[in-house]
Amino acid sequence: MSGGVPRRASRIRHLSGRLRPLLLGPRPEAVPALVGRACALVGLLDVAAGVFPRFRHSRMHALAEVLPGAFGPFAAALSLSAGVLLLLLAHGLRRGKRRAWRAAVVLLPAGAAAQFAYRHSVIGVLISVWLLVTLLRHRDQFTALPDPRSRWRALANLVLMGAGSLALGLVIVSAHPGTLLGDPSLADRISHVLYGMAGFEGPVDYHGSTSWTVAFSLGALGWITAVSTIYLAFRPEHPAARLTEDDESRLRALLARHGGRDSLGHFALRRDKAVVFSPSGKAAVTYRVVSGVMLASGDPIGDVEAWPGAIERFMDEAKAHSWTPAVMGCSETGAEVWTRETGLDALELGDEAVVDVPDFSLAGRAMRNVRQMVKRIERAGYETRVRRVRDLGDTELERVRRAAEDWRGTDTERGFSMALGRVGDPADGDCLIATAHKSDAEPGPYGDLKAVLHFVPWGTDGVSLDLMRRDRSADPGMNELLIVAALQAAPRLGIARVSLNFAMFRSALARGEKIGAGPVLRAWRGLLVFLSRWFQIESLYKFNAKFQPRWEPRFVVYRASADLPRLGIAAMQAEGFVNLALPLPRFLRRRTTAPRPCPHRLAESDIQAA
């Protein structure tokens, strides 16, 4: 009997939690999400009222259309316009955006007027009025600042809105079979939509006033597409934040004192990141905003005791803009601090391969394949050089920069959390460059240079691999050759540890191939192997494993499980695997001596060649 009381109390608490929104209304922080869903519903109702004749049928409809001054076609276009715009605003309202709130407050009365004037729906008007009152009552919940934006949004809007308007226009043209004259083909219907969006009469015709209704509706779609594109093209630009010179100097000072803690610390100096500092200035978090996700990478920079202050500033910034906070690739210590200070969750993402230089040797059976490959390449006439960036001359450094850019495996630069984004910057004199040369080969545009490895500092006694590039005509095995050369040269350069590539889901791949692995683990490994066709998950793991490293787990920190798909897409955008921007053709790109952003640590073609 004693166990019944706690269970009954639990049921009561659960029931009261379910009834609270009905009795007391939703919690204030839940209002934006509720309003966003309601806005999408109202938008769908307005679109349906403007498109489908049966949906807008009412007893008053026949009488209203013959009354003097009736504006049924105009109201249909207005209802359609308001519905489409409300659908576009729903996402911004869910995130509590102030500008979306202002636009919705203007559109809802217009949509309600159109609902009553054309469809004569009292329920539709009441829903719109209820949503308007809710927006006005909870206006203090819609204070989020705008996202970073650029002119590319206008081009993306033109393409996406144009395609959506064309599809919706085909529905409008085909939604009146009872008044349609003849049997127009699909080509005729598409032509009619395109002509109608531009304000001209198309080849499709109808009985009665339907022609006017369709014409005004198509014109409204064209108007929405044109006006929204023009607005996005000419609105004041709010560019993404960049690392200023002062920010960079402060980060370098923190790295000089605490840079040995995290192998990804130096990558915080990417200049396409923004930064927030703790109130004391002893710690910082760098980040980039991608598709509304505020992505930090690695651990916070600086004193561990000051990390909570920097994390709090990071979360405040995310809340101010209604961004989704997330961290990619933090260490176990970093994940513990993030989850403790913010209440976020952590998930193991993979493992970083770290080689301890004093323990590295090419001897032994485990290193036989690497040893044989290195000896074969050396017999082919290749030689290696490992130097600090400061020790290279300007001419050679420029040749290395151009080679690294031209040997990139893809048109899109890849890398974010484990990539610096530049090679040979004067401020990065401590970076390490390993190069492979073949003097007896035919001279190319880069002389005898055949492959390049770039490492960034990891404290005072370590380096972390940044990128690998090689001439596609060079013999396979350049990566193994240069990694071994860097490890063998490390003692004379004062380097005791070398961080190699990051292997996603390494533990799942390793456990899934062992004898006795269960069906779930084997299925998970099979999926990862399948995805490796595009993302090189398995190949990176096998490449790293050649050097017998120790594995350091890395984690992703996120707010809720529902955010993981969005976070995954944003991470792939940041890393360069998904590119939603439209790049200029190669022949229009201006070559500069400045390094390009976002090189990936290891290009796919390098992995495949290895």
Side-chain angles (χ1 to χ4, degrees):
M1 295 294 293
S2 60
V5 175
R7 284 197 296 268
R8 190 178 301 113
S10 176
R11 294 191 189 115
I12 293 174
R13 285 195 299 269
H14 177 71
L15 182 60
S16 64
R18 297 290 296 272
L19 293 177
R20 185 187 184 280
L22 299 177
L23 300 176
L24 303 178
R27 293 183 176 89
E29 62 271 13
V31 169
L34 176 62
V35 168
R37 297 188 185 98
C39 182
L41 175 61
V42 173
L44 288 174
L45 291 174
D46 287 344
V47 170
V51 173
F52 300 106
R54 293 181 181 178
F55 186 86
R56 63 173 177 262
H57 178 72
S58 70
R59 295 178 181 178
M60 297 175 58
H61 189 75
L63 177 63
E65 286 193 332
V66 299
L67 290 175
F71 58 103
F74 295 96
L78 180 59
S79 179
L80 179 65
S81 302
V84 171
L85 292 174
L86 286 173
L87 286 174
L88 296 176
L89 292 172
H91 179 66
L93 289 173
R94 289 190 63 182
R95 297 176 58 199
K97 293 295 184 180
R98 187 65 177 180
R99 291 187 176 182
W101 178 88
R102 292 171 180 168
V105 167
V106 174
L107 285 172
L108 282 170
Q115 285 269 2
F116 184 77
Y118 191 50
R119 184 171 169 254
H120 314 293
S121 170
V122 177
I123 295 178
V125 173
L126 290 178
I127 292 176
S128 297
V129 171
W130 169 81
L131 182 56
L132 177 62
V133 172
T134 303
L135 282 172
L136 294 175
R137 179 184 176 187
H138 297 281
R139 57 185 176 273
D140 57 330
Q141 296 297 316
F142 298 88
T143 58
L145 301 175
D147 290 345
R149 55 182 181 249
S150 69
R151 304 288 186 230
W152 287 112
R153 291 288 299 275
L155 181 58
N157 180 82
L158 177 62
V159 174
L160 297 177
M161 281 289 295
S165 297
L166 177 61
L168 186 56
L170 286 174
V171 175
I172 293 173
V173 170
S174 305
H176 308 267
T179 58
L180 187 64
L181 292 177
D183 186 18
S185 64
L186 179 61
D188 290 336
R189 296 170 191 254
I190 294 176
S191 299
H192 192 80
V193 172
L194 295 176
Y195 277 113
M197 290 174 62
F200 299 101
E201 186 177 354
V204 181
D205 201 3
Y206 303 86
H207 290 292
S209 62
T210 305
S211 294
W212 289 101
T213 303
V214 172
F216 283 124
S217 298
L218 295 178
L221 290 177
W223 175 82
I224 292 173
T225 303
V227 170
S228 60
T229 301
I230 293 172
Y231 166 74
L232 293 173
F234 291 98
R235 67 177 176 173
E237 193 167 6
H238 182 197
R242 292 291 186 267
L243 206 65
T244 65
E245 292 184 4
D246 179 63
D247 292 337
E248 185 173 340
S249 63
R250 294 176 66 184
L251 285 174
R252 289 185 182 276
L254 293 177
L255 288 170
R257 294 192 295 269
H258 308 281
R261 182 177 297 278
D262 185 16
S263 63
L264 308 188
H266 200 85
F267 297 125
L269 298 176
R270 284 182 64 104
R271 288 164 185 163
D272 57 357
K273 290 183 177 181
V275 61
V276 289
F277 289 91
S278 65
S280 64
K282 296 181 178 180
V285 176
T286 58
Y287 65 92
R288 187 198 296 174
V289 179
V290 183
S291 298
V293 178
M294 190 177 183
L295 277 176
S297 59
D299 293 343
I301 307 300
D303 189 354
V304 175
E305 294 183 357
W307 283 8
I311 291 173
E312 183 180 1
R313 288 282 180 88
F314 176 89
M315 297 300 292
D316 289 343
E317 190 77 5
K319 183 178 180 181
H321 293 83
S322 190
W323 290 331
T324 301
V327 186
M328 296 292 297
C330 62
S331 68
E332 188 170 1
T333 301
E336 290 176 354
V337 176
W338 273 101
T339 55
R340 184 185 69 235
E341 297 296 327
T342 63
L344 301 178
D345 291 326
L347 178 69
E348 184 173 344
L349 187 61
D351 295 271
E352 177 187 14
V354 178
V355 179
D356 294 312
V357 173
D359 300 332
F360 177 76
S361 173
L362 286 177
R365 182 178 181 84
M367 298 296 295
R368 182 178 61 180
N369 291 337
V370 176
R371 182 173 63 249
Q372 290 176 347
M373 180 173 288
V374 169
K375 290 185 177 298
R376 176 178 58 80
I377 297 173
E378 289 176 342
R379 286 195 298 268
Y382 289 90
E383 64 176 16
T384 59
R385 302 168 193 168
V386 182
R387 294 159 291 176
R388 298 283 186 181
V389 166
R390 70 171 74 92
D391 297 328
L392 274 72
D394 294 339
T395 302
E396 185 176 7
L397 197 54
E398 175 61 23
R399 185 163 61 244
V400 168
R401 285 197 196 107
R402 290 190 294 109
E405 178 180 346
D406 292 345
W407 292 343
R408 188 174 62 241
T410 59
D411 288 337
T412 304
E413 293 278 12
R414 292 186 173 176
F416 165 67
S417 56
M418 300 182 183
L420 182 61
R422 57 185 182 267
V423 176
D425 191 281
D428 300 322
D430 288 336
C431 290
L432 202 67
I433 287 184
T435 55
H437 306 262
K438 191 175 183 182
S439 57
D440 59 348
E442 294 184 6
Y446 313 110
D448 62 352
L449 183 64
K450 295 298 179 184
V452 176
L453 260 67
H454 187 255
F455 298 83
V456 300
W458 174 12
T460 58
D461 63 346
V463 291
S464 186
L465 181 59
D466 177 21
L467 64 82
M468 283 180 165
R469 300 286 160 80
R470 70 176 186 88
D471 188 344
R472 300 300 177 259
S473 64
D475 293 342
M478 292 291 102
N479 298 329
E480 287 87 343
L481 174 68
L482 288 179
I483 287 178
V484 169
L487 290 170
Q488 291 176 338
R492 67 175 173 83
L493 295 170
I495 296 171
R497 50 187 178 167
V498 176
S499 170
L500 300 179
N501 297 285
F502 172 74
M504 288 186 62
F505 308 114
R506 194 274 316 175
S507 58
L509 289 169
R511 293 197 304 267
E513 63 185 357
K514 291 182 178 180
I515 296 176
V520 175
L521 191 56
R522 287 185 179 275
W524 176 225
R525 182 183 181 277
L527 177 61
L528 294 176
V529 171
F530 174 75
L531 293 175
S532 293
R533 299 179 182 180
W534 296 278
F535 301 107
Q536 283 71 46
I537 298 173
E538 185 184 29
S539 53
L540 266 174
Y541 159 56
K542 290 184 175 180
F543 179 86
N544 291 333
K546 292 180 180 181
F547 303 95
Q548 302 298 306
R550 58 181 169 90
W551 300 101
E552 296 289 340
R554 291 280 172 175
F555 297 82
V556 56
V557 178
Y558 60 97
R559 184 172 58 185
S561 299
D563 293 334
L564 286 176
R566 185 180 176 197
L567 171 57
I569 294 174
M572 287 192 290
Q573 285 180 252
E575 297 288 349
F577 289 104
V578 176
N579 186 20
L580 300 183
L582 300 176
L584 290 174
R586 275 186 175 271
F587 67 89
L588 292 179
R589 299 177 193 171
R590 182 177 61 183
R591 182 183 295 279
T592 64
T593 57
R596 297 170 61 88
C598 307
H600 193 248
R601 278 185 123 184
L602 189 56
E604 292 85 346
S605 52
D606 294 327
I607 300 167
Q608 293 165 358

